[in-house]
């Protein structure tokens, strides 16, 4: 995207902020998309190659996700342009510099995302006084340890499988991105009788038609190894997971991994979007035309942010699970009922559900707080 102003719409973005701090070497972006329902909650991604457009699209996904989940928050996102594999001391320097830089952007509440974790949030909280996804010792609910997002995906799978007449017991599924979301989703789906037949990470992929042992795979990944180190399976190139015939395909890595030019390779019945914006709009339309049911990111993967909202309100993990199971079940059901009623794409129905709530909240805002796009560079 050459010009962020081309992408403004009635929802946002409200602010696009580029941060450069020469002393620490920090280069970062914050997009506050919409704050009608409350301050913008969204993760801080650390990656060397994130564009302003990507941060904006991720912030929009958070606006819709938080609204659809009835949370008192708007949507935002941040990116720090750096390798997530930096030495710890350098990472701390950047995270603290980021915290100091966003201290006055009170309408943005940061959380963890790809490349950042609860320790990063502890550093940011010390600098800003606010962050979600904190370590347990600071009152946090360890989202990736609990597997909130992965559990939410299994709840969405439960509802969606009824809709597309798929028996979860014995259903074969593939995970693209064996990280926090992918591995927990695999654990909870396996508990419902589904069988993991392939998984990938940034290094490659592994396939076993008889099933991959999720405990063993998780153990390997926790040791910092790759799925390629899993012994009992065929080693494949990273993107070969796109071609493996399966009942459920779960993207749990990067944005735009499925596009118009590779969507025809998918051979599946149900897609559960664990990652944010993993399919382009055109790819989702093609799936719909091919009768592949796609449960959109901001409905399926809301478990983490719902849990984070409970944490920010002072709640514990014991009270977090029930509300998010109910919310994901209810939203997936309402969305699929809308698809049956109208014949529209699942995402379109889900956006309408989220926008209705944003419109109701916007009615309480003073005109002086209209979302008026500001660009601060
Ligand atoms: P993570 O860093 O724990 O795991 C990501 C995994 O994807 C890693 O194993 C990495 O090697 C792999 N990967 C990277 N590029 C890949 C590629 N091109 N092909 C295959 N694998 C690749 O991250 P995570 O927390 O599991 O998040 C994954 C996605 O889910 C992100 O898009 C994130 O925004 C989204 N998400 C995460 C949460 C959460 O609770 N963690 C919540 C909602 C959405």
């Amino acid at each position: 995207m050459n010009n962020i102003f081309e992408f403004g719409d009635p929802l946002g973005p409200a602010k696009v902020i580029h941060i450069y701090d020469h002393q620490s070497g920090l280069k970062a972006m914050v997009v506050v998309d919409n704050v009608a329902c409350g301050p913008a909650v969204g993760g801080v991604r650390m990656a060397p190659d994130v564009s302003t457009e990507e941060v904006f699209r991720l912030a929009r996904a958070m606006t819709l996700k938080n609204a659809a989940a009835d949370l008192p928050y708007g949507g935002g996102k941040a990116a720090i342009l750096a390798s997530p594999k930096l030495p710890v001391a350098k990472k701390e320097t950047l995270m603290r510099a980021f915290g100091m830089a966003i201290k006055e952007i009170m309408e943005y509440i940061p959380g963890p995302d790809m490349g950042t974790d609860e320790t990063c949030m502890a550093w940011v909280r010390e600098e800003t006084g606010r962050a979600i996804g904190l370590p347990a010792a600071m009152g946090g609910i360890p989202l990736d340890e609990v597997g909130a997002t992965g559990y939410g995906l299994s709840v969405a799978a439960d509802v969606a499988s009824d809709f597309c007449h798929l028996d979860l017991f014995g259903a074969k599924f593939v995970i693209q991105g064996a990280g926090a979301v992918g591995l927990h989703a695999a654990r909870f789906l396996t508990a419902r009788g589904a069988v993991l037949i392939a998984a990938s990470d940034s290094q490659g992929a592994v396939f076993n038609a008889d099933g991959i042992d999720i405990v063993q795979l998780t153990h390997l990944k926790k040791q910092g190894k790759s799925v390629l180190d899993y012994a009992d399976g065929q080693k494949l190139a990273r993107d070969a997971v796109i071609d493996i015939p399966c009942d459920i395909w779960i993207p749990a890595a990067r944005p735009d991994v499925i596009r118009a030019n590779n969507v025809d390779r998918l051979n599946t019945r149900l897609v559960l979007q664990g990652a944010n914006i993993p399919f382009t709009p055109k790819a989702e339309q093609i799936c719909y035309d091919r009768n592949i049911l796609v449960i959109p990111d901001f409905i399926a993967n809301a478990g983490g942010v719902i849990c984070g909202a409970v944490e920010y309100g002072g709640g514990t993990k014991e009270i977090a699970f029930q509300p998010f199971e109910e919310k994901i079940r209810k939203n997936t059901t309402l969305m699929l009922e809308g698809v049956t009623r109208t014949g529209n794409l699942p995402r379109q129905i889900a956006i309408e559900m989220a926008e209705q709530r944003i419109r109701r909240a916007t009615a309480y805002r003073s005109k002086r707080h209209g979302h008026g796009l500001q660009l601060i560079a």
Side-chain angles (χ1 to χ4, degrees), residues 114-138:
M114 279 177 86
T116 62
D117 59 11
E118 58 187 44
T119 306
C120 295
M121 290 308 114
W123 296 326
V124 170
R125 220 272 295 260
E126 194 178 353
E127 303 301 334
T128 60
R130 57 186 199 279
I132 64 168
L134 293 165
M138 295 171 78

Side-chain angles (χ1 to χ4, degrees), residues 141-166:
I141 302 175
L143 300 181
D144 287 342
E145 208 178 289
V146 172
T149 305
Y151 183 67
L153 283 170
S154 74
V155 173
D158 195 34
V159 178
S161 57
D162 277 351
F163 183 83
C164 59
H165 310 294
L166 171 70

Side-chain angles (χ1 to χ4, degrees), residues 22-311:
H22 296 288
Q23 203 178 347
S24 62
L26 173 74
K27 288 184 184 165
M29 289 174 259
V30 178
V31 174
V32 174
D33 183 44
N34 185 290
V35 291
C37 298
V41 164
V44 184
R45 179 160 297 196
M46 187 177 277
D49 56 352
V50 190
S51 67
T52 309
E53 177 179 4
E54 195 172 311
V55 183
F56 162 61
R57 288 172 62 215
L58 291 164
R60 173 57 52 86
M62 292 309 297
T63 297
L64 298 173
K65 191 184 305 190
N66 294 338
D70 272 333
L71 300 176
Y73 299 114
K77 200 84 180 184
I80 296 177
L81 301 181
S83 163
K85 296 196 169 128
L86 284 176
V88 175
K90 180 66 186 166
K91 203 165 187 175
E92 179 171 356
T93 303
L94 290 186
M95 291 308 306
R96 286 189 183 279
F98 175 76
M100 282 186 265
I102 65 162
K103 190 174 172 136
E104 306 304 329
I105 310 171
M106 295 301 288
E107 65 268 68
Y108 173 59
I109 302 172
D113 193 69
M114 279 177 86
T116 62
D117 59 11
E118 58 187 44
T119 306
C120 295
M121 290 308 114
W123 296 326
V124 170
R125 220 272 295 260
E126 194 178 353
E127 303 301 334
T128 60
R130 57 186 199 279
I132 64 168
L134 293 165
M138 295 171 78
I141 302 175
L143 300 181
D144 287 342
E145 208 178 289
V146 172
T149 305
Y151 183 67
L153 283 170
S154 74
V155 173
D158 195 34
V159 178
S161 57
D162 277 351
F163 183 83
C164 59
H165 310 294
L166 171 70
D167 191 353
L168 271 190
F169 193 87
K172 298 195 168 192
F173 70 101
V174 169
I175 299 277
Q176 182 194 50
V181 172
L183 290 169
H184 283 296
R187 178 164 69 89
F188 289 115
L189 280 171
T190 306
R192 290 176 193 262
V195 183
L196 175 67
I197 58 163
S200 65
D201 60 21
S202 55
Q203 315 283 304
V206 65
F207 167 71
N208 184 333
D210 296 327
I212 290 171
D213 184 324
I214 182 67
V215 176
Q216 239 188 73
L217 188 69
T218 305
H219 183 65
L220 279 174
K221 291 295 293 178
K222 278 198 174 146
Q223 290 176 312
K225 295 188 176 162
S226 162
V227 296
L228 294 172
D229 295 303
Y230 183 84
D232 187 19
Q234 190 184 339
K235 313 288 180 274
L236 300 170
R238 189 190 71 184
D239 290 345
V241 283
I242 300 173
D243 304 287
I244 295 175
C246 59
D247 300 303
I248 306 173
W249 200 80
I250 304 179
R254 298 294 307 254
D256 294 336
V257 289
I258 300 296
R259 305 167 299 274
N261 64 4
N262 66 359
V263 64
D264 286 335
R265 289 166 52 188
L266 277 182
N267 184 351
T268 191
R269 292 171 64 187
L270 172 63
V271 172
L272 298 169
Q273 295 189 339
N276 293 313
I277 53 166
F279 283 35
T280 62
K282 180 83 184 146
E284 277 186 27
Q285 177 68 54
I286 294 171
C287 284
Y288 184 75
D289 297 340
R290 286 180 53 207
N291 212 15
I292 298 173
L293 177 61
V294 177
I295 306 298
D297 45 10
F298 70 89
I299 295 293
N301 74 14
V305 77
I306 299 172
C307 224
V310 171
E311 172 193 305

